[in-house]
Amino acid sequence: MAIEIIGTGRAVPPKRVSNDELAAKIDTSDEWIRSHTGIGYRHIADESTACSDLGLEAAKNALAMTAGYCGDDPEERNRAASEAALTIDMIILATVSPDFYGVPSTACIVQDKLGAKKAGAMDLSAACTGFIYGLETAAGLLTVSSRRKRALVIGAETISKMINWEDRGTCVLFGDGAGAAVLEKTGAENRGILQTLLFADGSGNESLLMRRGGTRYPFKKGEVIDTSICVEMNGQEVYNFAVGAIFSTIKMLAENGNINIDDVAMIVPHQANARIINAARRRLHIPAEKFYLNIEEYANTSSASIPIALDELNRSGQIKKGDLIMTVGFGGGLTYGGNLIIW
């Protein structure tokens, strides 16, 4: 038995914001942002677009591919997606920027709009490692039940709505987007998701967090606040953690799988900061061409970054059936982990 990825999709808002546009509003520059992060642009959702809207579009694209349609006609895509949605048994949506606080889950909203009538649905919160956690969760749910055959895993974020746009240390880093994958349980051997590593280091919980609005620091009646719930980050702590997380995860995936890095077609890291990825890569002595980077275009889309990258690779033919790939992620919590997959 194998758990294989049989379809991928992505969606990003049309509004594309350059570093120069940000530099016109805050004390920063294109040169500083690029040299410190590798980011050149980010896509930002408008006021009417919520997390579920982007997740829905990414899911439709993944489902349409599953049904055999990869064209540009919206009607045909929706028809194919609706047909495939009826075959989904579980929807898992990873996000830190849900439509609503607590209930309903964003996954349930997507499930309804897709018409996935027989699917269970739930949200998963593991920050930027969310899609990796989601793949393993979905694989487990498919494995333990003979009645489940297909799952839809989505990473979706409208994190721009949770950014303090006056804080240049965080606002330049993030963008909005969504990516999705359809998983299927098949009778194949030595295919699909071969191995997943999931880790957490809760001692770093204050290195990256959204402090206000939960039960630890709830809003109080009559309280006047200057900023809403927004991302707070200790950049140096996150940088140090992330370099170590990428290093150890890739090393362990290779050792546990008894593989040589030369056999890996592509490593798909969470797109947080090009300097983080390059620092870990140099420690591992892995050539740059093994790592897929699209951070220059999208910035950090949190749980959406890995599935967006996978869809770009898949649709462009840069990864092909039978290729061995790795994913590796890290994020708030702190969480980290990775997948070893035969595509």
Side-chain angles (χ1 to χ4, degrees), residues 59-99:
K60 284 182 177 180
N61 289 328
L63 289 166
M65 179 185 287
T66 300
Y69 183 77
C70 295
D72 297 323
D73 184 288
E75 274 193 27
E76 283 300 306
R77 184 207 65 162
N78 290 341
R79 180 200 59 76
S82 295
E83 177 184 305
L86 295 173
T87 71
I88 298 299
D89 300 297
M90 192 71 206
I91 298 172
I92 297 172
L93 190 147
T95 188
V96 295
S97 52
D99 283 22

Side-chain angles (χ1 to χ4, degrees), residues 242-252 279-280 283-285 328:
V243 172
I246 293 176
F247 175 86
S248 62
T249 301
I250 291 175
K251 194 168 183 291
M252 289 179 66
R283 283 179 61 184
L284 289 159
H285 306 291
V328 58

Side-chain angles (χ1 to χ4, degrees), residues 28-37 168-169 172-173:
T28 190
S29 68
D30 176 67
E31 189 280 329
W32 189 93
I33 298 171
R34 285 181 184 274
S35 64
H36 284 74
T37 69
R168 71 169 187 165
V172 302
L173 302 177

Side-chain angles (χ1 to χ4, degrees), residues 175-254:
D176 300 328
V182 177
L183 275 59
E184 183 173 78
K185 180 167 57 180
T186 73
E189 294 184 6
N190 196 35
R191 293 200 57 80
I193 300 172
L194 302 181
Q195 178 192 166
T196 298
L197 298 175
L198 302 177
F199 300 105
D201 179 5
S203 68
N205 64 85
E206 291 219 358
S207 298
L208 180 57
L209 79 165
M210 289 185 278
R211 191 180 305 275
R212 297 299 306 276
T215 58
R216 178 64 62 191
Y217 300 104
F219 292 117
K220 299 174 183 177
K221 185 177 180 179
E223 183 180 24
V224 177
I225 59 172
D226 293 327
T227 59
S228 60
I229 301 170
C230 60
V231 173
E232 301 175 35
M233 183 174 68
N234 183 315
Q236 190 59 54
E237 288 181 3
V238 171
Y239 180 93
N240 293 337
F241 163 75
V243 172
I246 293 176
F247 175 86
S248 62
T249 301
I250 291 175
K251 194 168 183 291
M252 289 179 66
L253 283 171

Side-chain angles (χ1 to χ4, degrees), residues 243-294:
V243 172
I246 293 176
F247 175 86
S248 62
T249 301
I250 291 175
K251 194 168 183 291
M252 289 179 66
L253 283 171
E255 289 175 351
N256 292 353
N258 194 28
I259 62 166
N260 191 303
I261 289 296
D262 291 340
D263 298 326
V264 178
M266 193 67 69
I267 299 171
V268 184
H270 165 53
Q271 311 286 315
N273 186 314
R275 289 175 68 193
I276 290 172
I277 296 164
N278 285 326
R281 176 185 65 75
R282 286 190 291 268
R283 283 179 61 184
L284 289 159
H285 306 291
I286 299 175
E289 56 267 24
K290 284 283 185 184
F291 287 79
Y292 182 73
L293 295 182
N294 62 7

